[in-house]
Amino acid sequence: MGNEAADRRVEDMLGGSLEVLRQLPEGVVLLACEESDPASGWEVLMANDAALELYALPADVVGAGGPELLRQTGIDEAGARQIAETFRSREAGNITVLVTRGDGSRVWATIELTPLVAPAADESVSLWVAVSRDVSAQVENAHLEQVRLDIERRARLALSIVARVSDILQEPDSSDVLRAIADLVTRQVVAWCGFFVLGRDLEEVERIVDRPDHRRRVTAEDLARDPVLELLEGNVMRTVRLEPDAHGEPGTATARLLDLLAPRLAEAPEAEGSVLVLPVLGRLRALGLFVALPYHGPASARISGVLGSETAEESIAILPDEVGTVLELVARRVGMAMDNAQLYAREHLLAETLQRSMLPEQADVPELDVWTYYAPNVEHAQVGGDWYDVVNLAEDTVAVVIGDVVGHDVEAAAAMGQLRSVVRAYAQELADPATVLSRVDSLVTGMRIPRTASLVYATMTRRGDEWDLRYARAGHLPALLRRGSEVITLDEAGGPLIGFDGGTRETAQVRVRPGDVLVLYTDGLVERRDRGMRQGLEELIQLTRGVHAPDAAGVGEELLQLADAPEDDIAVVVIRVPGGRGQEEDSAPRRRRWQLPSDPSSIARARQEVRRACAAWDVADVSAAELVVSELMSNAVMHGWGRVGLRLQATSDGLRIEVEEGNPAPPVTREQNTSRVGGYGMHIVDRLADWGWRPAPGGKVVWARVRR
């Protein structure tokens, strides 16, 4: 346009308003746009002084309009496209663009485009008014607010990741706790990460471990050439960046780590290639390494599900320095948890080893069927002062004691050991239970043992086919005597706890006949938070009245049903006098369990228990079962750690034998070699039974099912 006809048309349409527009403080530009070419076919008809000042351009440059004006003002392609789309739509639009002024400065401007009048039937040009405002301050404030919001969101993301790490560390199932943490950080912050410890060699781990430290004495030269070893030998939180192409000197921990990470780098093309290594610090030393492969540039982390948002997923860029902060916080939190777990595990192992070493092995009492059981409260990883003892005092006399020292720690276990030794010493010299307890009470008071204890001490003396049972109690729950379908509560001869110097004590007496079953137990068998002690005792009496097993081990198994979820340590002694009227086995649970020491004598004991169980269950092929249990127990004693758990169960398709011990390494069937002594055990088991193994919280279980 730009001709007199157009000028007259504008004058006729706006009249005196045109002068008003020229005087407005906001930039006003009148435009004429050709309908056929909204992208470049438009020109400026009028621009007021405020518009010229805003753009800092002379009137002739502004009047050029079209692509030339866009070029002069530095409006980018996106802004030009928005302007053309607004013209094409014939509807008002609002556009915010970055404008380059004539003096070279840049401002944010909002341009409001409004159509004034549509073209007549015989015209192809529409008239528009563009009102421009400098909104740099608003845009800057919005940008600062967005930056502040992004910083806050990143901080919340980092805190949420660390909080989730803490939650994972508190979860009871810790078999793969480190893998779960690594997966969380991998999804949110880095391309891949994992935890490594130094045993005999550097290896990746998925759970908190407490393995022997095989580090040798290192020199300053060793540390200078091995940055990973330097992290492990130090006690300072810092990050070492390794470049894979550097490889590391052969034989160093750095070279070993880079070799382990080579497949990870190949599987993570989004990783930048370098490796971040942080120490996992304990109180005194580095316990391991936290290794991560960062992304190229900022990591895009998903907020939904991490911050607890239920809205659509959002993405937020995690900057490299923030990645380092998150990794350091995670490494510190895992280090604290690992250090606490290892310290607690060592204390627990010390206490449990002390206690189990003081527990006697079950004595082989002629003419009596004896079964004993002890289990610490594994749910809370505590060890208490429960103990039992079965001692042959003379050819026809047996002493039985069961007790409980107050507490669940090393001191309780130590007090239990002292008390057990005192009781056993007096039992060898004195025949009367009340006298034994009185002497024990006086000695314990003089020794100033800091823990009180309850116990039941009894002697059984043979009188023909029957036995005289004489007993005394020191604040302990009464023993039970089952005779047929009747249960007698042995609640006489009571007295105060050991350690209170209770003065004169009494002895009670009862005759035990063939077929009778004597049950002694600690409070862990009957005590629960959801029921009182009296109710638990009544349930135990009812259960004892209804047991059907023909042997002491079977009776014990049925009674342990009362302790499906024990909240305390449990010790149980069951003594059955052979003979009498037999019980029906059909309704009794056909399973048995024992805790045995890691000693060669346990192999013979296991064979004996298998013979007894097979006799009770009418299992015919006893020799095969004996051979299988002998081989499994031999492996557990020779190659296992800690005490050995033996479990038997009669099933419809055979006898199932399970042996549990603390070594997590799987059993290996060696290749047969006539020149080698031994190594045939699992081949024998393979011929006689179906067998396998599974991990257990404290090691592994090897099982075998002897085929019928």
Side-chain angles (χ1 to χ4, degrees), residues 190 227-228 230-231 235-243 272 274-281 289-294 320-332:
V190 294
V228 169
E230 187 179 7
L231 276 181
N235 196 29
V236 178
M237 176 56 69
R238 61 191 183 91
T239 302
V240 170
R241 182 181 288 268
L242 303 177
E243 300 302 330
E272 72 174 26
S274 58
V275 179
L276 302 180
V277 187
L278 297 87
V280 177
L281 298 179
L289 299 172
F290 183 33
V291 182
L293 306 180
D321 58 339
E322 294 169 335
V323 170
T325 301
V326 171
L327 296 180
E328 181 176 328
L329 290 173
V330 172
R332 288 185 182 276

Side-chain angles (χ1 to χ4, degrees), residues 113-382:
L113 290 170
T114 305
L116 290 179
V117 62
D122 58 345
E123 294 181 347
S124 60
V125 177
S126 58
L127 300 181
W128 294 72
V129 61
V131 180
S132 302
R133 300 183 184 87
D134 184 353
V135 292
S136 298
Q138 295 90 317
V139 171
E140 184 66 23
N141 289 338
H143 176 69
L144 292 176
E145 179 66 20
Q146 185 62 43
V147 170
R148 185 196 65 78
L149 181 61
D150 287 346
I151 293 174
E152 180 182 345
R153 292 164 72 195
R154 285 195 292 268
R156 289 176 60 202
L157 177 62
L159 291 175
S160 68
I161 292 174
V162 175
R164 180 58 186 140
V165 168
S166 300
D167 292 341
I168 294 174
L169 290 169
Q170 296 298 323
E171 292 176 0
D173 182 10
S174 58
S175 59
D176 60 348
V177 59
L178 298 183
R179 182 72 265 152
I181 292 172
D183 289 344
L184 171 69
V185 178
T186 298
R187 290 195 304 269
Q188 306 300 332
V189 180
V190 294
W192 179 87
C193 64
F195 292 89
F196 294 78
V197 297
L198 182 62
R200 294 189 180 278
D201 206 346
L202 196 65
E203 59 180 323
E204 186 179 358
V205 291
E206 296 187 350
R207 62 188 180 95
I208 293 176
V209 296
D210 185 17
R211 298 183 182 173
D213 194 345
H214 297 283
R215 302 180 202 182
R216 57 182 177 82
R217 179 173 295 180
V218 298
T219 65
E221 182 181 354
D222 294 329
L223 299 179
R225 68 191 186 94
D226 195 345
V228 169
L229 182 62
E230 187 179 7
L231 276 181
L232 288 167
E233 291 294 325
N235 196 29
V236 178
M237 176 56 69
R238 61 191 183 91
T239 302
V240 170
R241 182 181 288 268
L242 303 177
E243 300 302 330
D245 53 5
H247 298 298
E249 294 188 30
T252 62
T254 301
R256 168 66 176 168
L257 179 61
L258 291 175
D259 288 343
L260 292 174
L261 294 177
R264 302 292 187 183
L265 286 165
E267 296 169 1
E270 69 276 18
E272 72 174 26
S274 58
V275 179
L276 302 180
V277 187
L278 297 87
V280 177
L281 298 179
R283 290 174 176 83
L284 301 177
R285 64 184 180 91
L287 305 176
L289 299 172
F290 183 33
V291 182
L293 306 180
Y295 284 111
H296 281 296
S300 179
R302 291 291 182 186
I303 294 178
S304 177
V306 180
L307 300 181
S309 171
E310 297 183 358
T311 59
E313 285 192 344
E314 303 175 70
S315 293
I316 182 170
I318 306 297
L319 304 180
D321 58 339
E322 294 169 335
V323 170
T325 301
V326 171
L327 296 180
E328 181 176 328
L329 290 173
V330 172
R332 288 185 182 276
R333 188 60 54 91
V334 171
M336 291 171 55
M338 186 179 292
D339 199 33
N340 290 335
Q342 292 182 359
L343 287 174
Y344 188 81
R346 290 170 187 173
E347 180 181 354
H348 173 62
L349 179 62
L350 172 63
E352 187 174 355
T353 302
L354 175 64
Q355 187 179 42
R356 288 194 181 279
S357 67
M358 294 175 180
L359 285 176
E361 306 313 324
Q362 178 181 310
D364 186 12
V365 183
E367 307 301 329
L368 287 179
D369 181 8
V370 181
W371 178 84
T372 56
Y373 179 81
Y374 168 76
N377 182 5
V378 295
E379 180 181 355
H380 298 94
Q382 293 178 330

Side-chain angles (χ1 to χ4, degrees), residues 623-645:
S623 59
E626 280 192 77
L627 192 53
V628 169
V629 78
S630 180
E631 295 299 338
L632 296 185
M633 286 295 299
S634 297
N635 284 340
V637 170
M638 293 175 60
H639 308 295
W641 304 339
R643 289 177 67 89
V644 182

